[in-house]
Amino acid sequence: MANILLQCVVLVISMCGLALGSRTNPFLRKDRVTMSRMVPDADDGICKLRVEIFGYACEEHTVTTQDGYILSMQRIPVGKSGETSGVRPPPVLLQHGVLMDGITWLLNTPDQSLAYILADNGFDVWIANTRGTKFSRGHTSLSPDDSPYWDWTWDQLVQYELPAIFQYVHDQTTQNIHYVGHSLGTLVALASFSQQKLLNMLSSAALLSPIAYIGQMTSLLAQTAAKHSVAENLYKAGFDEFDPNSKAVTDLLKAYCKDPSINCYDLMTTFTGKNCCLNSSTIDVFLENEPQSTATKNMIHLAQMIREGTIRMYDYGDDEENKKHYGQSTPPVYDMTSIPNDLPLFLSYGGADALSDVNDVQLLLANLKDHSQDKLVVQYQDSYAHADFVMGVNAKELVYDPLMAFFKQ
Ligand SMILES: *[C@@H]1O[C@H](CO)[C@@H](O)[C@H](O)[C@H]1NC(C)=O
């Protein structure tokens, strides 16, 4: 019985991404499953899929991290008109969240989605894709079929991935970088800044749906999964890759949705909070491309943060093992009060966000209480939930216009 319960929770947490905003159960759509089996062609990257079709120039780039991961990046160097102003456009780096990839920034129409809007407003746009996602599955010596390929959490994104991406964009543009993160893309940035990393290549940072402390998130699904150690159990069962599209999960979900007491139609609200402003056509685009894999170990790390309300490195759950990795029996803390007070920060959070909870954001802001007032812009969107910040049809007016004004300061 306990096992069945556990499997249910596994299902629910696994489908959160997929069910994001869906009115029908995406797992019952056979085309989804087939699609996720396709191996992407090198010429068939995100530029071709979501950028060139709208008449924008787009370049595919490849970045190799010090720990061997080969990542794809896309660059939209100019706006749709193709005109340049004569001055070198300032680079902006877009970092998506967990279970997503760079398509996060390209889901709505070009006049509604951040990546195109930035290009049209004179920015040189760089889109990152985290290791393990569809277009970033390369490695110098490992394959995603190898267990060690998935031996990482967001600690390694802080340690290896963001530094490699920043260095690459900095080398290519010879300018300091404006950063935009969504969700986990904010956590890796905050953790980096707290360790004084990236700062020499950074102009400013915008954090949408900030994730730092997550102990108070209201998402019942995430809380329950964390409490029941769902990711830990998956890991023990040999699932190193957390693949929300995997057949095992699809089959389990089908069974699970047969239970009439379970609402399979509104899992998005259950998980992310009630998004106010999504377009159903955009949700279709979303379902064609997302969700994406991450390391199960990364999900465990997040579950630890939910349970403990802390921002620490991955806990090996064993004094000796922690000592081996960190030289101390408990994982080192990322101290948010160590973020430099003069770093220009733009922070936008939502009143309906079940993942980036208002109380947790207040906790982060309390850590930033000594931040120079003229370097910190905090925006509160009362009706916004987690996905509205990247998919909301009115995000340009509410969030992106003020964000660009902040960058141009
Ligand atoms: C919804 O998306 C479709 C397809 O991209 C677009 O044509 C339509 O204008 C969008 N609707 C709104 C309200 O933004």
Side-chain angles (χ1 to χ4, degrees), residues 109 112 279 281-282 393:
T109 60
Q112 294 172 334
N279 177 344
S281 305
T282 302
V393 292

